[in-house]
Every structure is written in structure tokens, then in C-alpha cells.
Amino acid sequence: MKILVVGDPHGKLPSDLLGIVKKNKIEVIVVPGEIPCVPFTVFGPKNYKGDSLAYTKKNYKDVLDQLSSFKLPTLILRGNSYTNTNGWNKFS
């Protein structure tokens, strides 16, 4: 079984992830934490003036949508950046 582990993407998956999956005949994807661009001050867009929570939630959904597009079993684990976030650590 070929497993691809993508560690701490912080809102940005590798640009050629589809190529990597196809070329290596990946069967399972594991992402051990830090899916969205958290902490936003470090991984969010520079000079962003909008609602950082809304952007982070959208970024989280975008990454999940991209991972889902591969139609492979995917295991996602919580990371340490989801702690001490005053309640905004629940993404839907």
C-alpha cells in the first residue's frame, strides 16, 4: 500500500499534488494537522484587511475540497495550532 503523508500544509498543498498522487499510485493520504492557514498572522495572506476567521474557514474548506477530489481514503489529524484559539478552532 502506498501512503502519502502531507505534513502541516497550513492552507497550501503542494502545487503538483495530483501529479504526485498519480505518478506514485497513492492509495491513502494522511495529513497530520495544520490544515488551514493557522496561525493566520504567519500563514495568512500578507497585508490581508478582511475577516481573518472567514478567510481561514474558506481556506480550510478549499484544502479539504482539493483532498476530496482525489477520491482516496484520507486521514486528517488535528494539529497543535488548533489549540488556544478562543473558539474559532471548529471548522465546518
Side-chain angles (χ1 to χ4, degrees):
M1 175 178 283
K2 291 201 173 188
I3 300 171
L4 174 67
V5 178
V6 180
D8 292 359
H10 285 287
K12 186 176 180 183
L13 294 170
S15 61
D16 189 27
L17 189 56
L18 178 59
I20 293 167
V21 167
K22 286 183 175 183
K23 177 182 177 185
N24 295 287
K25 298 180 182 163
I26 299 300
E27 298 172 73
V28 175
I29 299 173
V30 177
V31 185
E34 321 312 353
I35 304 298
C37 59
V38 290
F40 185 84
T41 54
V42 176
F43 295 102
K46 304 302 179 222
N47 302 317
Y48 185 75
K49 302 295 183 199
D51 179 353
S52 61
L53 176 56
Y55 181 90
T56 301
K57 285 182 176 182
K58 181 186 178 317
N59 181 245
Y60 180 81
K61 184 179 180 325
D62 291 346
V63 171
L64 291 183
D65 287 348
Q66 186 177 353
L67 290 169
S68 296
S69 73
F70 301 125
K71 307 272 191 254
L72 294 172
T74 303
L75 174 64
I76 297 174
L77 306 169
R78 284 178 68 102
N80 63 332
S81 285
Y82 301 113
T83 59
N84 300 319
T85 56
N86 296 322
W88 65 264
N89 58 347
K90 296 178 182 166
F91 298 97
S92 56

